[in-house]
C-alpha cells in the first residue's frame, strides 16, 4: 500500500506541474501572440493585410445572394483570410494547402460554417431545443456539434444566434431561443461554452460567432431584413443582453445583422460596434459582417458606392467582410485617398490573426484535417442517442384531452396520416448545413420501430401536400383512418418555411391540411396531431377539435424516434414553450412580459368597454410562454418567502412544494417570475428570473428553492441607469407564465 501511495503522490505532482506549465504556456502564449502578431504585421504588405479581412464562400452550400468565382486563385494570392460553407478533410486540406504552402507568408485560413443545430448529427432546431429548458443538454449538443464539425475540417461556427424575437411571422425565430431575454441569455452562454470548450487550441472545439448583432429579431411587420426602430431602453432591456451573455461566456467573434437600428445599419454602426461592443462591453475578439452586408449599405442608403460602404464599415469597427469583396476591391484605394488609416486595418488584421493563434493554426494548420477522426467521430451511436433524447425533451404537449396520449399498448392498428409523416428532408428543419436527409428518421420509421415492440399494424397515407390545395389524397387517408384504432396526424410546415427570408403573414396551418384534419377528426376516433413547424402557429381550430396536440418542431436526424418514444410513453413530455402561440396574427407582437397599460383588462371588470383589448379576439395567448403539459399532473403548494422585506444586501429565499399527482414519473419545469409593481418607468407584468427542471416520481413531492437578490431586480430606470429600485415586488412560481402561486415582498 505504501508503494502505491508514493506512486499516487508522484502522479499528482506530475499533473500539477503539467497544469502549471499549461497555464504558464497560456500566459506566455497571450503575450507571445501579441509580439508574434506585431512581427507578422511588419512583414505583411497592404494587400496581404486586406486579404485577411476577406471571407469568401466556397459555394458548397448556398446561404446568400452571390457566390465567389475565383476564390482558390485569390487564396494563392494571399487575398483571403477565411473560407465558409466548405467541409470535409479532403477539401479543407486542399484549400489550407493553397494558403499555407503557396502564399508568401503561409498564413492559415479560418474555415467557418453555420453549425446551428448540429453538423451531421442534426439536433432539434434551436427554438425546439430552448423548449427543453435543459441547459446542460444544450451545451452537450454543441460539444457534439463541435466535435463533428471539427472532424470535417471546420474551426469556426456562425453560431449561436441569440436574436430575441416576439414576432412569429419572422422565419428566423426557428434559430433562436424564443422571446425571453433572461432565458435567451442563459442559452446563448451555454452554446458558446459548448462550442469553445475550455481549450480553443484543441482540435475538437470551434470558435463561436454570436449573431446577429443587433436586434435582428425585431423587424417591422416580422418581415426579414426590415427596419428595426426602438428606444435605446427597449434595445438595452430586451434585445442586447443575450449578445452580452454570449460575449461574457467568451465568444471569439460577433456577426453583424442585416438590419438598420434607428436609422443606422448595424454594419456601419459605430455606436454599436465600437462604443458599445468594444468600449462598454470590452469585447476583444473580431467582428464579421453577415453575407455581403457591407455592400448592402448602398441599398440601405447610407453609402453612395462600394468604396464609401467599405470605409463606413471599417470605421464602425467591422473587421471581416463576408462575401461582399468590398474590402478586397476598395480598401487599398481608401488608404491611398486617406479616408481610412492603416491603423484601423492593422487593428482588424490583428484581431483575426489572434483568433488563428488561439486555434493553434500557426502551430499546425492541418490540425482539423484528420481522416481518422472524420471516419470515427461523426454520427456515432452516442450522438444519435443524445439526439433522440433531445427530441423527446424538446417536444411540447399542447393538448391531451381524455388521456388520448400516450397511445395505449392495446392498440392494434395505427394510421399515420399527413404530409409530414414520412418526409426525411423536412426533419432537418432549416440551417442544417452538413446534415443529410438520408440520415433522418421520419415519424413513419419511428412508428415502424415501435410496432416491433408493441405489435401493432401501421398504415401511412400522405393525404395531401404541405401547401398544394389538392384534396385528391383525402379519400384514401380517410379510409385508412376508418380502418385504424388510432390515428396520428403529421401536419405543419416545410422545413424551409421558416429560417432566413421565410417570413409569413399568415401563420396558420395551410388550409388543405386543416381540411384533412377536420375530416379525420370528424371520425371521432382517438387522434393525436403531431406538428412539424419552425415557428409558433395559430392553431385555434385544431385546439378546438383535436383530442391531442404534440408540438414536435423539426427534430433532426432522430426526429421520428424521439417523437415515437413520447407517443408510447417511453419518454414523458416535459417541454415548455419559449415563445407565445397567439390566437391570431393580429395580436403580434404578443409576449408574456408585456406592460400593464393604464387601462388593463381586469378580472373584476372584464367586459368594461374602455380597456386595452380587442373587440374580435381575446388578449391572452392561445398557449402562453412557459406552457407545456405532461402525461402526469403536478400540484404547486406552500409558496414561502423567508422574509417579507429585504435590503439590497439580502438574498430572498423562495421555496415551493411541487407534487406529482398523476400516474407517470416525470420532469416539471418550475418557473420563477417577478413583477416590479412600481418603478420610475413602467415595468412588465412578469419577468422570468429562474427555473428548475425537476424529476418527480409519481405520488411524490419535491421542494424547489430559488434565490432572488437586488441585482436580479435591475432594469434601465428613468435616467437609463441599470439598477434596482426599492418598492414592492410580486413573486410568481408555477408551471407557466399564466398560472401559479404568488407572494409579495418589499425591497427596502
Ligand atoms: C446568412 C445568414 C447568417 C449566416 C451567413 C453565412 O445570410 O444571415 O446567419 O451565418 O449568411 O451563411
Amino acid at each position: 500500500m505504501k508503494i502505491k501511495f508514493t506512486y499516487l503522490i508522484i502522479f499528482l505532482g506530475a499533473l500539477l506541474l503539467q497544469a502549471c506549465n499549461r497555464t504558464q504556456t497560456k500566459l506566455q502564449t497571450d503575450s507571445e501572440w501579441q509580439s508574434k502578431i506585431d512581427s507578422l504585421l511588419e512583414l505583411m504588405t497592404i494587400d496581404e493585410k486586406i486579404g485577411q479581412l476577406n471571407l469568401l464562400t466556397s459555394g458548397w452550400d448556398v446561404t446568400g445572394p452571390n457566390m465567389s468565382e475565383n476564390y482558390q486563385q485569390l487564396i494563392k494570392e494571399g487575398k483571403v483570410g477565411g473560407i465558409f460553407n466548405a467541409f470535409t478533410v479532403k477539401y479543407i486540406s486542399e484549400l489550407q494547402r493553397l494558403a499555407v504552402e503557396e502564399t508568401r507568408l503561409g498564413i492559415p485560413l479560418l474555415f467557418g460554417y453555420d453549425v446551428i443545430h448540429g453538423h451531421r448529427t442534426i439536433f432539434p432546431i434551436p427554438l425546439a431545443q430552448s423548449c427543453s429548458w435543459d441547459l446542460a443538454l444544450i451545451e452537450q449538443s454543441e460539444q457534439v456539434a463541435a466535435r463533428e464539425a471539427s472532424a470535417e475540417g471546420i474551426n469556426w461556427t456562425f453560431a449561436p444566434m441569440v436574436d430575441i424575437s416576439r414576432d412569429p411571422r419572422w422565419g428566423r425565430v426557428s434559430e433562436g431561443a424564443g422571446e425571453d431575454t433572461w432565458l435567451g441569455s442563459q442559452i446563448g452562454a451555454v452554446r458558446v461554452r459548448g462550442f469553445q470548450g475550455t481549450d480553443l487550441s484543441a482540435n475538437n472545439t470551434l470558435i463561436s460567432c454570436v449573431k446577429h448583432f443587433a436586434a435582428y429579431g425585431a423587424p417591422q411587420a416580422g418581415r426579414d431584413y426590415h427596419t428595426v426602430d426602438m428606444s435605446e431602453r427597449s434595445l438595452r432591456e430586451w434585445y442586447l443582453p443575450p449578445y452580452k451573455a454570449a460575449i461574457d461566456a467568451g465568444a471569439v467573434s460577433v456577426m453583424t445583422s442585416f438590419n438598420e437600428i434607428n436609422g443606422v445599419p448595424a454594419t456601419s454602426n459605430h455606436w454599436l460596434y465600437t462604443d458599445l461592443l468594444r468600449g462598454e462591453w470590452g469585447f476583444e475578439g473580431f467582428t464579421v459582417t453577415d453575407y455581403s452586408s457591407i455592400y448592402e449599405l448602398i441599398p440601405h442608403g447610407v453609402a453612395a458606392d462600394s468604396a464609401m460602404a467599405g470605409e463606413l464599415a471599417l470605421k464602425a469597427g467591422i473587421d471581416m467582410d463576408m462575401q461582399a469583396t468590398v474590402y478586397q476591391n476598395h480598401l487599398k484605394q481608401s488608404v491611398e485617398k486617406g479616408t481610412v488609416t492603416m491603423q484601423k486595418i492593422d487593428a482588424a488584421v490583428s484581431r483575426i490573426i489572434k483568433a488563428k493563434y488561439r486555434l493553434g493554426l500557426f502551430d499546425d494548420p492541418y490540425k482539423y484535417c484528420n481522416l481518422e477522426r472524420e471516419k470515427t467521430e461523426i454520427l456515432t451511436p452516442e450522438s444519435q442517442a443524445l439526439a433522440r433524447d433531445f427530441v423527446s425533451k424538446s417536444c411540447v404537449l399542447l393538448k391531451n384531452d381524455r388521456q388520448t396520449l400516450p397511445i395505449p399498448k392495446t392498440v392494434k392498428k395505427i394510421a399515420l396520416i399527413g404530409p409530414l409523416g414520412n418526409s426525411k428532408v423536412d426533419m432537418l428543419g432549416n440551417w442544417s448545413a452538413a446534415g443529410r436527409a438520408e440520415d433522418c428518421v421520419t415519424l413513419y420509421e419511428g412508428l415502424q420501430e415501435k410496432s416491433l415492440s408493441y405489435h401493432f399494424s401501421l398504415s401511412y397515407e400522405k393525404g395531401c401536400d404541405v401547401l398544394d390545395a389538392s384534396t385528391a389524397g383525402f379519400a384514401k387517408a380517410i379510409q385508412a383512418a376508418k380502418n385504424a384504432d388510432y390515428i396520428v396526424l403529421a401536419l405543419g410546415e416545410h422545413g424551409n418555411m421558416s429560417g432566413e427570408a421565410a417570413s409569413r403573414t399568415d401563420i396558420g396551418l395551410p388550409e388543405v391540411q386543416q381540411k384533412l384534419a377536420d375530416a379525420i377528426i370528424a371520425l371521432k376516433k382517438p387522434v393525436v396531431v403531431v406538428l412539424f413547424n419552425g415557428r409558433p402557429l395559430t392553431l385555434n381550430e385544431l385546439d378546438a377539435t383535436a383530442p391531442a396536440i404534440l408540438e414536435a418542431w423539426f427534430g433532426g436526424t432522430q426526429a421520428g424516434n424521439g417523437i415515437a418514444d413520447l407517443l408510447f410513453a417511453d419518454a414523458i413530455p416535459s417541454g415548455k414553450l419559449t415563445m407565445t402561440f397567439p390566437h391570431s396574427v393580429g395580436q403580434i407582437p404578443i409576449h408574456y412580459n408585456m406592460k400593464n397599460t393604464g387601462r388593463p383588462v381586469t378580472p373584476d371588470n372584464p367586459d368594461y368597454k374602455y380597456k386595452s383589448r380587442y373587440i374580435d379576439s381575446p388578449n391572452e395567448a392561445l398557449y402562453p410562454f412557459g406552457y407545456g403539459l405532461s402525461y402526469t399532473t403536478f400540484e404547486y403548494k406552500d409558496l414561502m418567502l423567508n422574509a417579507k422585506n429585504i435590503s439590497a444586501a439580502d438574498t430572498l429565499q423562495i421555496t415551493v412544494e411541487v407534487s406529482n399527482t398523476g400516474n407517470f414519473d416525470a420532469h416539471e419545469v418550475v418557473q420563477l417570475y417577478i413583477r416590479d409593481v412600481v418603478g420610475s418607468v413602467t415595468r412588465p407584468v412578469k419577468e422570468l428570473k429562474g427555473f428548475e427542471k425537476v424529476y418527480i416520481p409519481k405520488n411524490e413531492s419535491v421542494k424547489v428553492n430559488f434565490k432572488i437578490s437586488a441585482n436580479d431586480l435591475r432594469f434601465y430606470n428613468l435616467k437609463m441607469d441599470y439598477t434596482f429600485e426599492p418598492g414592492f415586488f410580486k413573486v410568481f412560481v408555477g408551471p407557466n407564465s399564466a398560472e401559479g402561486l404568488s407572494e409579495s415582498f418589499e425591497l427596502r
Side-chain angles (χ1 to χ4, degrees), residues 55 57 61-65 84-85 112-116 157-159 161 163 172 175 209 211-212 216 224-225 255-258 289-292 296 322 431 500:
L55 175 65
T57 181
D61 199 344
V62 179
T63 59
F84 67 108
N85 290 343
Y113 204 11
D114 291 287
V115 184
I116 306 297
T157 177
F158 302 139
M161 182 274 213
D163 305 322
R172 303 198 76 167
E175 303 169 49
C209 181
K211 71 184 188 183
H212 306 78
Y216 182 31
D224 205 357
Y225 316 125
M255 183 186 290
T256 66
S257 56
F258 289 115
T289 72
D290 201 341
Y291 207 110
S292 69
E296 293 169 13
M322 180 192 286
W431 289 112
E500 185 173 356

Side-chain angles (χ1 to χ4, degrees), residues 592-596 674-675 683-687 732:
Y592 83 93
N593 48 354
M594 296 204 279
K595 303 299 188 65
N596 204 34
I674 61 110
R675 179 179 180 180
R683 308 289 296 117
V685 294
K686 275 187 182 170
E687 290 175 81
F732 306 89

Side-chain angles (χ1 to χ4, degrees), residues 314-488:
L314 189 75
K315 287 174 182 172
I318 306 304
D319 299 328
M320 207 168 202
D321 170 2
M322 180 192 286
Q323 195 54 30
T325 67
V326 164
Y327 282 179
Q328 172 192 318
N329 296 332
H330 298 281
L331 265 192
K332 185 173 183 179
Q333 293 80 354
S334 298
V335 172
E336 287 158 0
K337 279 191 306 184
T339 43
V340 295
T341 64
M342 274 315 298
Q343 185 198 0
K344 276 280 185 190
I345 291 177
D346 287 350
V349 176
S350 296
R351 292 188 281 257
I352 292 164
I353 297 289
K354 180 167 184 181
K356 296 182 177 183
Y357 270 117
R358 294 185 67 187
L359 282 167
L361 287 172
F362 282 97
D363 296 333
D364 176 5
Y366 302 100
K367 63 186 296 182
Y368 296 93
C369 302
N370 178 325
L371 282 169
E372 189 52 32
R373 285 194 63 214
E374 191 176 50
K375 284 197 204 99
T376 58
E377 296 188 20
I378 290 173
L379 279 174
T380 62
E382 296 76 19
S383 67
Q384 296 287 41
L386 186 73
R388 180 170 182 158
D389 180 48
F390 214 160
V391 171
S392 63
K393 286 176 176 158
S394 302
C395 295
V396 183
L397 182 59
L398 299 177
K399 185 181 178 188
N400 191 24
D401 284 359
R402 302 185 296 281
Q403 293 300 307
T404 303
L405 282 174
I407 298 176
K409 299 288 194 301
T410 54
V411 162
K412 291 302 168 207
K413 292 180 189 173
I414 294 177
L416 172 64
I417 294 169
L420 277 303
N422 199 25
S423 165
K424 284 181 175 291
V425 69
D426 286 313
M427 296 304 101
L428 289 170
N430 54 78
W431 289 112
S432 55
R436 301 183 314 191
E438 58 265 36
D439 295 330
C440 292
V441 176
T442 64
L443 181 51
Y444 177 69
E445 292 164 331
L447 289 172
Q448 271 187 317
E449 184 183 291
K450 289 296 178 190
S451 70
L452 304 177
S453 316
Y454 298 126
H455 313 298
F456 57 85
S457 69
L458 176 64
S459 62
Y460 172 60
E461 288 296 339
K462 192 176 177 185
C464 66
D465 286 332
V466 171
L467 291 168
D468 183 280
S470 167
T471 59
F474 276 29
K476 286 179 75 176
I478 292 166
Q479 190 53 54
K482 285 178 176 175
N483 296 338
D485 310 323
Y486 198 104
I487 300 138
V488 179

Side-chain angles (χ1 to χ4, degrees), residues 267-327:
T267 307
S268 60
N269 199 313
H270 188 277
W271 172 78
L272 195 64
Y273 274 84
T274 294
D275 301 345
L276 179 72
L277 181 64
R278 296 197 188 283
E280 191 177 318
W281 291 1
F283 176 62
E284 294 182 347
F286 70 97
T287 59
V288 60
T289 72
D290 201 341
Y291 207 110
S292 69
S293 71
I294 292 184
Y295 178 78
E296 293 169 13
L297 295 176
I298 300 171
H300 264 299
V302 295
D305 54 36
S306 292
M308 183 178 173
E311 291 155 10
L312 285 173
L314 189 75
K315 287 174 182 172
I318 306 304
D319 299 328
M320 207 168 202
D321 170 2
M322 180 192 286
Q323 195 54 30
T325 67
V326 164
Y327 282 179

